[in-house]
Structures are given as C-alpha cells and as structure tokens.
C-alpha cells in the first residue's frame, strides 16, 4: 500500500485501541471504590473505634483536596490500559504482522503465549506477598506514632510490586529468545549460573521489604527454577542447531573447520592443447610472422 494508506490504517487501529481503553476506563470509574478496596486489602486498616499506635494498624487517607479525584482518575486509567491490553496489543500486532516473515510470526506467537502466563504468575505472587510486606513495614513504626497512609502511595506501591514481579518472571523468556536468535548460547548461560543466582537472590532481597527470607525466596526461587529451565532448553536447541549446521555457532570472523588431509592423486592424463587460430588448426600457415607463429 502507499504511505497514505498505511497511515490511515494506523489511525484506524489506534482509534479502535483507544476506544477499548476508554470503555474499560468508564467502567472502572463506576467501580472505582471497589477497586480501591481490592488494591488496599493488604493494608491492615484500623477498625472503628481503634486508633493507630505503633504497628497495630494503619489509617488510609487522602492528604490533599484533589487527591480523591486524581487517585480515582489514575486508578481508572491504569485499569483501562491493563484490562484493554489484549485489544490494543492486537491492533498493533495486526498493523505490523503483514510485514513479518513466517518464522518471525511464529516466534512472536510463541513469545506472547509464554509471556502472558509468566507475567500473570508474577503479578499474582506479588499480590500474595503484599500483606506480609505491608505488615512488616508498618511494624517498624515506634510506639506513640500513628500510621496515616496516603491512598495514592498505597496504590503506587501495590502497582510497582505487581509490575516488578511480573517483569522479573519474563527474564527466562528473554534468555530463550536470545538463544533462538543466535545471540546467546546455552553453554554461556550455563557458565553464568552462579552470578545469575546471586543476582536473583539479591534482587529478591531488595525488592521485597520483608525482614524474613520468605519474601525473598518467594521471588528468587521461581525465577531460579525458570532460569535453569531456560538453560536446559537453550542447550537442547544448540544441540539441534549444531546437528543441522556444524558452523551455526561460529562468529562472522571465525573460520570453520576445514579438512586439510591430502588425498592421493591419480595418473596425469595428457591433454592436447586446442588451437584457437584457424591457421593453426588446419596447419596451413607454418611460417613465422614478425617473430610469431600465428596471426597475432
């Protein structure tokens, strides 16, 4: 298609994605109170008649005049983007897909089919760890001080934890895709296992604010298992690639193995020289001309 047609198609697909996000955002506005209660469920709220003192409970509040409005709009837009993501992601994919080769489409389908469950598993794990994390953080409050938490800060903390856990679960999938494209070999990934495991546990200790090892193990344990699964898949894929093409893992400036074993030479057969000049072919011109025996 010409450029104008491509731009028109992009406009139509973006409009469909924006329409889906707007529709879900409107529904989220209607149920915004229920969404706030669901996302702040991890906070141990003080019951009626109980005051916050130390780490017994917390009071969720709005600190500014426009905080209820801005928090509601932010939560509704985030819900619209997340819930309507299958629609606008499909619109972007439908715009890009005609320019991809068949193998590129196959890799993309496999990546999406694995990325969505992994991200969902990480987000669900984060939601399970959130109550423990919040209780540990609140317990650090000294006696005589009250925990008055901003609802916006609680929502930001919850969404950040869900996003970080979901993206962390995508690490093994990224390694597998790098192996499939030939960027990273399975043997190199296997040599990195000590540093990767150490980094995963340090990351789990930093990102989970609990003082006990449960939160760290809950994040680092599944990622470590997924990493070793990615290493095993990459080793099998490298073995298959070497079987099909022994030079597949060589760099562009690396020479392949060449068999330099000398072979026996058979008897030399005499070959008569062909005469390309007509006078030489019929033998009619035998005298020399200017020192040469042919017409040149």
């Amino acid at each position: 298609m010409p450029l104008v047609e491509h731009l028109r198609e992009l406009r139509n697909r973006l409009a469909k994605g924006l329409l889906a996000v707007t529709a879900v955002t409107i529904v989220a506005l209607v149920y915004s109170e229920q969404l706030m209660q669901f996302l702040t469920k991890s906070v141990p709220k003080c019951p009626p008649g109980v005051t916050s003192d130390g780490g017994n409970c917390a009071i969720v509040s709005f600190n500014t005049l426009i905080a209820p409005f801005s928090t509601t709009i932010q939560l509704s837009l985030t819900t619209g983007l997340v819930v309507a993501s299958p629609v606008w992601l499909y619109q972007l994919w439908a715009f890009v897909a005609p320019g991809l080769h068949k193998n590129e489409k196959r890799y993309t389908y496999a990546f999406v089919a694995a990325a969505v469950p992994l991200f969902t598993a990480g987000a669900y794990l984060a939601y399970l760890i959130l109550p423990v994390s919040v209780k540990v953080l609140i317990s650090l409050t000294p006696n005589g001080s009250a925990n008055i938490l901003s609802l916006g800060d609680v929502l930001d903390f919850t969404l950040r934890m869900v996003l970080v856990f979901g993206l962390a679960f995508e690490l093994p999938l990224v390694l597998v895709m790098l192996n499939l494209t030939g960027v990273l070999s399975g043997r190199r990934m296997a040599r990195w296992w000590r540093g990767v495991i150490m980094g995963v546990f340090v990351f789990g200790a930093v990102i989970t604010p609990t003082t006990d090892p449960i939160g760290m193990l809950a994040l680092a344990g599944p990622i470590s298992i997924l990493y070793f699964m990615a290493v095993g898949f990459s080793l099998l894929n490298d073995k298959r690639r070497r079987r099909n093409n022994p030079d597949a893992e060589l760099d562009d400036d690396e020479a392949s193995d060449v068999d330099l074993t000398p072979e026996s030479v058979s008897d030399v057969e005499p070959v008569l020289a062909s005469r390309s000049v007509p006078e030489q072919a019929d033998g009619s011109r035998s005298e020399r001309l200017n020192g040469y025996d042919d017409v040149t």
Side-chain angles (χ1 to χ4, degrees):
M1 294 188 299
L3 179 60
V4 177
E5 293 295 331
H6 281 293
L7 294 177
R8 186 176 291 111
E9 181 187 4
L10 179 61
R11 181 198 61 188
N12 295 336
R13 295 197 176 278
L14 289 178
K16 293 178 182 178
L18 183 60
L19 182 62
V21 172
T22 303
V24 177
T25 301
I26 293 175
V27 176
L29 282 172
V30 177
Y31 296 96
S32 59
E33 184 176 354
Q34 289 82 350
L35 288 174
M36 290 181 184
Q37 292 178 357
F38 174 75
L39 293 177
T40 59
K41 190 177 179 180
S42 59
V43 179
K45 304 180 184 65
C46 296
V50 178
T51 59
S52 176
D53 185 12
N56 62 335
C57 60
I59 300 174
V60 180
S61 64
F62 293 103
N63 297 332
T64 60
L65 182 63
I66 63 172
F69 174 77
S70 60
T71 304
T72 302
I73 295 299
Q74 179 184 0
L75 178 61
S76 301
L77 285 175
T78 304
T79 305
L81 287 173
V82 173
V83 177
S85 58
V87 178
W88 57 265
L89 285 175
Y90 170 76
Q91 296 300 326
L92 293 178
W93 166 254
F95 178 75
V96 177
L100 300 178
H101 296 289
K102 185 179 298 185
N103 61 335
E104 294 173 341
K105 292 181 181 179
R106 184 171 63 251
Y107 286 154
T108 305
Y109 289 142
F111 183 84
V112 173
V116 174
L118 287 176
F119 185 87
T120 304
Y124 181 71
L125 181 61
Y127 189 77
L128 293 179
I129 295 177
L130 271 173
V132 180
S133 302
V134 173
K135 287 181 180 179
V136 170
L137 292 175
I138 291 179
S139 64
L140 300 177
T141 304
N143 294 329
S145 300
N147 286 298
I148 302 177
L149 307 179
S150 171
L151 182 60
D153 294 339
V154 174
L155 294 178
D156 289 341
F157 178 76
T158 302
L159 294 176
R160 191 180 301 113
M161 288 284 291
V162 169
L163 183 62
V164 169
F165 271 63
L167 292 179
F169 271 59
E170 303 291 343
L171 173 63
L173 182 60
V174 174
L175 295 177
V176 169
M177 295 302 296
L178 291 176
N179 178 261
L180 290 175
T181 55
V183 177
L184 191 62
S185 64
R187 286 180 294 182
R188 183 175 300 178
M189 292 167 55
R191 289 196 299 265
W192 292 348
W193 74 270
R194 294 180 179 85
V196 171
I197 297 302
M198 175 62 71
V200 167
F201 274 87
V202 171
F203 174 77
V206 172
I207 202 63
T208 53
T210 58
T211 56
D212 57 87
I214 297 177
M216 178 185 66
L217 292 175
L219 176 62
I223 296 179
S224 301
I225 295 174
L226 291 173
Y227 170 75
F228 284 113
M229 292 175 61
V231 172
F233 175 85
S234 300
L235 291 174
L236 293 177
N237 184 59
D238 292 342
K239 184 178 180 180
R240 177 192 61 83
R241 187 179 297 164
R242 286 193 300 268
R243 185 170 59 251
N244 297 334
N245 182 13
D247 301 332
E249 296 183 357
L250 296 179
D251 296 333
D252 295 337
D253 56 350
E254 187 176 359
S256 59
D257 294 333
V258 180
D259 187 8
L260 301 178
T261 304
E263 299 180 357
S264 60
V265 180
S266 59
D267 296 336
V268 179
E269 299 179 0
V271 179
L272 297 177
S274 61
R275 296 178 178 270
S276 58
V277 182
E279 290 80 354
Q280 293 177 334
D282 56 8
S284 61
R285 187 180 181 88
S286 60
E287 67 275 7
R288 300 173 65 86
L289 180 63
N290 295 328
Y292 297 97
D293 57 356
D294 55 15
V295 294
T296 58

